[in-house]
Every structure is written in structure tokens, then in C-alpha cells.
Amino acid sequence: MEITENVLQSGQRLWYARPDTSEPRPLMVMLHERYGPVEQSWNVVRRMASYSYVACLSDLFHRYEGDRGPIERSEARYDPTDEQTVTDIDESIAFMRGLDFVDGSRIGLVGFCQSGRTPLVYSAAGRDVQALGVFHGGIYPRDYEPIYEGQEPIADVLPRVSAPILAGFAEHDQLVPMENVKRFRGELESLGKRASIRVFSGIGHGWFNVTRPKDYDEAASNESWDLLAAFAADAFAGTLGDAPQVEFNADASIPFDFSV
């Protein structure tokens, strides 16, 4: 599937893929991991577009002026502020809404790893989006107690989130403790949010990333993609319902008490 690159007014690069149809399709904003835009980013954009959505991805590290090599190799990191990230996504969505094959009234955001918190932050900023995806990120210890300048604690973000959430986590994720999954679930329930949480057993962090064979898990990845596509479809169609509800599905083999 072809990927088209654009450079926005700010200098931010943006890429998108689209299904083979003339009908305007909902927009899924896919957010890159801590490596910035790399091969896996294009995999994610193509895969989302294969479900008949327009999928785009922006370079949220475009302000970084150093060598990208260490970032792409996980030897260094760059952490924009929440305000910068919201500004960049605003610009990206405004550009995509100007394309005649995008249904600008139906928009979802999906974050992975470092960007897992970003869909929550964006919705909490009062932006009109209808579906949020969070995978193997968003509730790191540093998300609850931020260590990077300009990032709000996720517990303070959640009360302002207005869109339904699909979240996926892994039993052996060394960066997302199961205690945080339990906390996240409890907070969503107490706040009366609409969410669906899936916890996979036997796998670790980054199971989506096909370019990292030691982390990738085909079965969990395929299930996650199907869950995401179906969740977005229901969210855009308005069939998730308005009643507060947190659906929770953890593999029975996980030795953790999720009952309370």
C-alpha cells in the first residue's frame, strides 16, 4: 500500500495511507514509538489503512535538532511536552481534514509505547475525537509520576478524557507493572469512563513491533489489530453506548487478582 509524505507548515513531516475507495473514510492518527518515524511506523500506517481507514503518522520529534540515529537505536530519547504534542496533532488533523477522502467528523488516535499516553492527553485537551487506542504504554510509572518537563500526571489527565478507550497490556511488560493496569482500570471505573482493556499472558513489551523479533508476538498482534479495528468501527458508528462501562479481559493464566 502506497504511503504519501507531506511537509506541513511547521516543518513537521506527515505520512498517510488510504484504502482504495473514493468514499470519505474515518481518520486514524497513528503515533510513533520512542524511536520516532522508522520502518515499524510505516507497517502501522499500512496495517491500519488495510481496515478501510485513512491512517496518518506525524513526526512528533520534528523539533529535535540532534542526530536521530541514537534515538532510532534506543540509545537516546526525546520527550516533547504535552502542549507541543497537542499542537502538532492539531496541525496534522487540520491538514488531513482538508483532503477529500477523509471523513473529518470521525477521528481516532492510537499510541504505542512512549506515545501511549498521547491519545489520553489529546482528548483531555478538549479535542473532538471519537476513539482512543493505548497499547503497551500510557501508564508507565513515569506517566503517573512524570519525570519529563511539561508532562501532566496521567491520573490528572483521565478525568478530562471524553472519548472511549481501548487499551492493551502484556503480563510480562517490564515497563508497565500489572499494579498499574489494576490502578488504571479502577480509575476508569470510578470516573465512569467507557473503556475496554485487554491483558495478554506470556508476552512482554512491544508485541506489536514486527521489526523487533524478540518482542513481537504474532497472535497477540493480530488480535490487537482486530480489536482496534472493531472498536474504532463501533466508536464511529456510535454503537458503544453512552452508559459508563469498563470491559476487562485478562487471560486466565495471569497470576494476578484483577477481581477488585
Side-chain angles (χ1 to χ4, degrees), residues 184-193 244-248 260:
F184 182 59
R185 176 192 182 184
E187 289 169 336
L188 294 174
E189 289 177 335
S190 66
L191 291 167
K193 301 299 181 181
Q245 181 180 1
V246 178
E247 300 173 352
F248 188 81
V260 292

Side-chain angles (χ1 to χ4, degrees), residues 34 61 74-85 113-115 117 121 140-154 175:
R34 62 169 293 181
F61 293 172
S74 303
E75 298 168 357
R77 63 181 298 126
Y78 177 68
D79 288 85
T81 66
D82 290 344
E83 182 178 4
Q84 289 171 334
T85 299
C113 185
Q114 178 180 334
S115 66
R117 69 193 307 277
V121 168
Y140 296 144
R142 67 171 181 266
D143 290 316
Y144 278 112
E145 298 183 12
I147 59 176
Y148 299 112
E149 182 179 357
Q151 293 189 356
E152 187 178 6
I154 208 68
L175 301 177

Side-chain angles (χ1 to χ4, degrees), residues 47-48 51 112 135-136 166-169 198 200 203 207-208 217-231:
R47 182 69 178 261
M48 193 75 252
Y51 288 95
F112 306 87
F135 291 96
H136 56 81
L166 172 67
F169 305 106
R198 175 74 171 97
F200 298 93
I203 62 172
W207 71 89
F208 265 96
D217 186 276
E218 183 177 11
S221 177
N222 287 339
E223 180 180 340
S224 298
W225 278 113
D226 289 345
L227 287 171
L228 175 60
F231 179 82

